[in-house]
């Protein structure tokens, strides 16, 4: 039996039962890193600035150390950068994603839905 | 560093890019098995009969062999039962879920978000 099947998965990290990291938040961190700004990072993924700001606040609060450093003020709402801790979190998330992907692909060959 | 973190995950099986199995569909199959009826199985999870019927149609179409056998007619829309194939699919899904759960729990100890 060879069927055209594939398995998609998602995972979320919670801290004290609160959502901390998911695919959308990781993408937001990557975009902030890329554009050096929460507003531009959010805009690149069609997320409102308000929403992005709230997510950054939540992540910073739940992290051991802030993931994003905000620079307030300026005509476009100030810049922002992802901290070392933030870059490490992105890396860990992507590492886990890759490993789970490999695990599921391997298992799927045995299980065959 | 010991923080109160946990990781939740979900996966979906697709056949030819079409959704085939997910946590909701597996729960529906379990409920149909439990109540012997699509209507009652759907009701137990606050799903409309119409929606449940459509999901069963989709799964049966995408599976190698039907997962649910419907008996039409009767005052309450007829009974239904989960086939051997359907029970096997439930078992496989739960097995993969358990194995991915163990894998993620193990990895999370190394990664430490």
């Amino acid at each position: 039996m060879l069927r055209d099947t594939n398995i998609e998965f998602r995972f979320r990290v919670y801290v004290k039962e609160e959502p901390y990291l998911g695919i959308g938040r990781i993408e937001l961190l990557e975009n902030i890193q890329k554009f050096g700004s929460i507003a531009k990072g959010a805009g690149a993924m069609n997320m409102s600035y308000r929403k992005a700001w709230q997510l950054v606040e939540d992540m910073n609060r739940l992290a051991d150390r802030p993931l994003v450093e905000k620079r307030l003020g300026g005509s476009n709402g100030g810049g922002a950068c992802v901290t070392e801790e933030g870059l490490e979190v992105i890396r860990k998330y992507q590492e886990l994603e890759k490993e789970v992907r490999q695990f599921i692909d391997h298992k799927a060959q045995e299980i065959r839905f």
Side-chain angles (χ1 to χ4, degrees), chain A residues 44-109:
Chain A
M45 56 195 287
N46 285 317
M47 183 184 281
S48 72
Y49 177 59
R50 184 193 168 90
K51 169 84 175 168
W53 178 274
Q54 187 58 58
L55 290 180
V56 167
E57 287 284 299
D58 289 346
M59 284 189 281
N60 278 351
R61 179 170 50 79
L62 294 168
D64 273 342
R65 289 184 296 276
L67 307 187
V68 175
E69 265 178 25
K70 293 169 280 188
R71 289 185 287 274
L72 297 173
S75 60
N76 56 6
C81 71
V82 177
T83 63
E84 267 187 53
E85 178 86 4
L87 294 175
E88 178 76 1
V89 157
I90 294 173
R91 196 191 57 71
K92 285 178 178 177
Y93 189 91
Q94 289 174 339
E95 183 190 327
L96 183 58
E97 193 170 47
K98 188 177 145 197
E99 288 181 340
V100 173
R101 178 76 269 165
Q102 287 171 345
F103 182 80
I104 287 179
D105 285 347
H106 176 71
K107 285 291 164 189
Q109 290 183 353

Side-chain angles (χ1 to χ4, degrees), chain A residues 19-30:
Chain A
Y20 172 46
L21 303 169
I23 185 75
R25 292 171 186 224
I26 293 295
E27 191 182 342
L28 176 61
L29 290 176
E30 288 175 317

